[in-house]
C-alpha cells in the first residue's frame, strides 16, 4: 500500500437535517484518517443545520436552487476548487453514520489504483433490529442495483457512499442535470461517469443510513417516480440497449466500469 494517501474532502448536502447532521459529523470526527475538509451544503434549511455544521468545523456553502442535484453539485464544485485534480471528493448524506475507517479506506483504494476515478459502496439501515435492518437494506439496495444496473449496463453509484476524483467531477460538472430537483443525482452521475471510466463498487465499504426512504408509502413512491424521471431524461441517446451494445463492443470504454470487490 502506498505510504502517501491522497487528501479526501467530504461533501454533505443538507436541508433541515440538523439532528441527523450532528450524528453524521460526530462520526466524521472519529475517523482514523481525518478528511482534508468537510463541506456542508445548506440547501435553504430553516433549522439549525448550518450552525451544527460550523460547530463541527465544517465549511458551509449555501445553495439556493432546491434539490439534492444542485446541492451535491455545489458541494463538489466547492471541494474541487480547493483541491488538485487527483484529490478525492467523498460524498455522504446528512443522515449517514460513517464507520471510523471510511476516509482511510477511500484514500487507500485510490492510492492503490491511480487509474481509479469513482468508488462507491452500499449502506445498511440503522435504528431498527439488526436482522430487520440487514434484510430491508438488502431488499432496498438490491432492487436499486438490479434495476439501475440493468438500465446503465454497469453497477450504479450510490450517493450515500460515494467518492470520486476532483478531476473526474470537473469533466462532467456541466453535463449533469444539477438544476432538476426530481433527478436522482447519483444515477445521473452514473450515466455521465459510469462508462469509459475506471469505477468500482466495493460491497465491504458500508455506511449506516437512516431508514427514512422506506418508512412511508409516499417516500417509496417518490423514489420510484424520480427513478423513472432520471432514466427518461437520459433517453433515447442512453437507452439500455444502446449502453449494453456499447459495453459489449467496447465502444467508448476505456476501462472496466463495474469492478466489484467481494464482501470481506
Amino acid at each position: 500500500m502506498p505510504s502517501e494517501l491522497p487528501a479526501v474532502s467530504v461533501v454533505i448536502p443538507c436541508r433541515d437535517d440538523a439532528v441527523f447532521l450532528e450524528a453524521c459529523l460526530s462520526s466524521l470526527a472519529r475517523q482514523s484518517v481525518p478528511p482534508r475538509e468537510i463541506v456542508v451544503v445548506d440547501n435553504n434549511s430553516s433549522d439549525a443545520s448550518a450552525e451544527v455544521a460550523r460547530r463541527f468545523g465544517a465549511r458551509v456553502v449555501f445553495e439556493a436552487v432546491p434539490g439534492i442535484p444542485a446541492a451535491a453539485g455545489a458541494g463538489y464544485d466547492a471541494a474541487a476548487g480547493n483541491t488538485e485534480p487527483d484529490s478525492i471528493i467523498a460524498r455522504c448524506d446528512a443522515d449517514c453514520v460513517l464507520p471510523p475507517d471510511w476516509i482511510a479506506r477511500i484514500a487507500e483504494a485510490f492510492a492503490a489504483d491511480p487509474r481509479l476515478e469513482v468508488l462507491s459502496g452500499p449502506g445498511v439501515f440503522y435504528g431498527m433490529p439488526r436482522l430487520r435492518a440487514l434484510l430491508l437494506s438488502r431488499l432496498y439496495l438490491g432492487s436499486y442495483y438490479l434495476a439501475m444496473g440493468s438500465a446503465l449496463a454497469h453497477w450504479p453509484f450510490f450517493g450515500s457512499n460515494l467518492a470520486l476524483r476532483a478531476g473526474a467531477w470537473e469533466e462532467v460538472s456541466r453535463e449533469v442535470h444539477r438544476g432538476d430537483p426530481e433527478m436522482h443525482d447519483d444515477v445521473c452521475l452514473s450515466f455521465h461517469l459510469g462508462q469509459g471510466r475506471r469505477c468500482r463498487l466495493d460491497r465491504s465499504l458500508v455506511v449506516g443510513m437512516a431508514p427514512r426512504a422506506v418508512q412511508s408509502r409516499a417516500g417509496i413512491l417518490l423514489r420510484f417516480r424520480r427513478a423513472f424521471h432520471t432514466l427518461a431524461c437520459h433517453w433515447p441517446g442512453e437507452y439500455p440497449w444502446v449502453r449494453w451494445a456499447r459495453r459489449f463492443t467496447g465502444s467508448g470504454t476505456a476501462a472496466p466500469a463495474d469492478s466489484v470487490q467481494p464482501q470481506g
Side-chain angles (χ1 to χ4, degrees):
M1 181 65 62
S3 58
E4 186 172 343
L5 297 177
V8 179
S9 298
V10 178
V11 168
I12 308 174
C14 181
R15 181 176 181 180
D16 295 334
D17 264 338
V19 174
F20 285 108
L21 180 63
E22 183 158 4
C24 179
L25 294 174
S26 293
S27 70
L28 282 169
R30 297 189 295 269
Q31 294 294 301
S32 59
V33 173
R36 171 189 291 208
E37 67 169 344
I38 301 172
V39 179
V40 173
V41 184
D42 179 6
N43 197 206
N44 294 296
S45 295
S46 59
D47 67 357
S49 293
E51 288 80 359
V52 169
R54 293 189 182 97
R55 177 156 51 85
F56 278 87
R59 177 159 63 109
V60 177
V61 173
F62 180 75
E63 174 54 60
V65 178
I68 295 176
Y76 298 149
D77 288 344
N82 200 35
T83 64
E84 299 298 322
D86 280 340
S87 295
I88 310 306
I89 303 172
R91 148 84 191 279
C92 66
D93 290 328
D95 60 1
C96 287
V97 174
L98 298 316
D101 62 349
W102 188 62
I103 296 291
R105 291 188 57 186
I106 288 171
E108 288 166 359
F110 281 94
D113 186 353
R115 297 170 59 209
L116 183 64
E117 293 186 84
V118 183
L119 176 70
S120 187
V124 62
F125 293 127
Y126 60 76
M128 61 176 63
R130 178 171 175 77
L131 180 58
R132 183 184 176 197
L134 289 173
L135 292 175
L136 194 56
S137 301
R138 291 190 177 185
L139 177 62
Y140 174 69
L141 279 177
S143 300
Y144 171 71
Y145 284 129
L146 178 61
M148 290 304 170
S150 298
L152 290 163
H154 58 77
W155 296 108
F157 310 148
F158 182 45
S160 298
N161 188 6
L162 175 66
L164 68 162
R165 292 196 188 273
W169 165 250
E170 290 178 332
E171 289 181 30
V172 300
S173 62
R174 293 177 178 82
E175 300 174 7
V176 295
H177 300 70
R178 55 198 296 169
D180 185 347
E182 295 301 308
M183 186 74 54
H184 273 313
D185 68 298
D186 45 7
V187 178
C188 180
L189 193 62
S190 298
F191 269 108
H192 293 277
L193 277 178
Q195 284 193 316
R197 306 277 185 167
R198 189 171 181 85
C199 307
R200 180 180 302 146
L201 168 66
D202 183 351
R203 292 185 183 275
S204 68
L205 182 68
V206 182
V207 304
M209 55 186 184
R212 295 185 291 180
V214 295
Q215 286 182 322
S216 70
R217 183 172 180 269
I220 294 172
L221 290 176
L222 173 65
R223 280 157 179 80
F224 271 102
R225 186 179 75 242
R226 287 180 174 174
F228 286 115
H229 174 73
T230 302
L231 295 175
C233 285
H234 292 86
W235 292 342
E238 298 293 329
Y239 275 141
W241 50 88
V242 174
R243 294 182 67 86
W244 281 103
R246 189 185 301 150
R247 172 171 178 166
F248 285 119
T249 61
S251 174
T253 302
D258 57 348
S259 303
V260 179
Q261 293 183 359
Q263 188 166 353

